[in-house]
Amino acid sequence: MTKCHLLEPRTKDYITTHDTVTEGSKFCCGDYSMNYNKLNPQEERVIVDKATEPPFSGEYDNFYEDGTFICRRCNAPLFSSKSKFDAGCGWPSFDENFPNAIKRIPDPDGTRTEIECTNCGAHLGHEFLGEHLTVKNTRECVNSLSIRFIPKGKELPKTINE
């Protein structure tokens, strides 16, 4: 027995997280699919298990270069560096995402809104509205482990679709 991710066999839709199953059945271990980028244990803990990295510990918290932030799991473009700002919260913060890049889901705690990559469902962090930190009045608070930076002028990697 091992902890794996249950996949619906025809559509490969994600059904449950970390169910204990018999190896060799219609499940796949790790990051749901062999086609997505390989994740290390810390990345999987945040992206798949929806954990949060400690504040002020991520590589992109105090990072301001021109380029694009993409999903670490599937390479989908998520944020322009132009939308990044210093919220002083300890995580990378953005006040705008690329169109249709982010899915918003009510968090089980009933007070926050979780944000996920629309393409692959990777947990990114949480959205906060009404803090008046920028003109757009939005803070996408993102784990550095959920994203990767591609400098301006470098070609973006191909988005991995399942």
Side-chain angles (χ1 to χ4, degrees):
M1 299 292 268
T2 184
K3 287 199 170 205
C4 293
H5 306 283
L6 170 60
L7 300 176
E8 202 286 323
R10 289 179 307 284
T11 64
K12 293 190 177 183
D13 287 337
Y14 171 74
I15 298 174
T16 60
T17 305
H18 289 99
D19 290 322
T20 302
V21 298
T22 305
E23 289 192 49
S25 60
K26 63 180 179 188
F27 302 90
C28 99
C29 295
D31 56 357
Y32 307 150
S33 168
M34 297 300 214
N35 294 332
Y36 287 133
N37 294 322
K38 179 90 171 118
L39 302 175
N40 69 36
Q42 295 83 14
E43 293 163 348
E44 184 165 334
R45 194 171 145 270
V46 169
I47 291 170
V48 177
D49 298 333
K50 301 183 181 206
T52 301
E53 65 193 11
F56 304 102
S57 68
E59 67 179 308
Y60 300 124
D61 175 39
N62 192 20
F63 180 92
Y64 298 94
E65 291 184 24
D66 199 7
T68 302
F69 290 89
I70 64 173
C71 176
R72 191 171 296 263
R73 184 160 72 173
C74 74
N75 302 332
L78 301 171
F79 307 100
S80 165
S81 62
K82 291 176 178 39
S83 68
K84 189 172 185 305
F85 68 98
D86 183 5
C89 63
W91 292 277
S93 297
F94 303 87
D95 67 357
E96 183 176 37
N97 55 271
F98 291 125
N100 303 312
I102 303 294
K103 180 168 46 172
R104 292 157 178 87
I105 302 161
D107 209 50
D109 69 11
T111 60
R112 299 181 300 172
T113 300
E114 178 188 358
I115 54 174
E116 291 182 351
C117 171
T118 300
N119 185 62
C120 72
H123 173 73
L124 302 172
H126 291 87
E127 177 181 72
F128 299 93
L129 304 173
E131 297 176 321
H132 304 286
L133 297 174
T134 70
V135 174
K136 295 177 182 161
N137 208 13
T138 297
R139 176 169 56 104
E140 308 294 355
C141 185
V142 180
N143 291 287
S144 288
L145 289 171
S146 296
I147 56 178
R148 206 165 51 110
F149 177 76
I150 307 299
K152 182 178 181 178
K154 280 207 161 187
E155 186 176 339
L156 295 177
K158 184 176 178 350
T159 299
I160 301 167
N161 295 302
E162 284 294 309

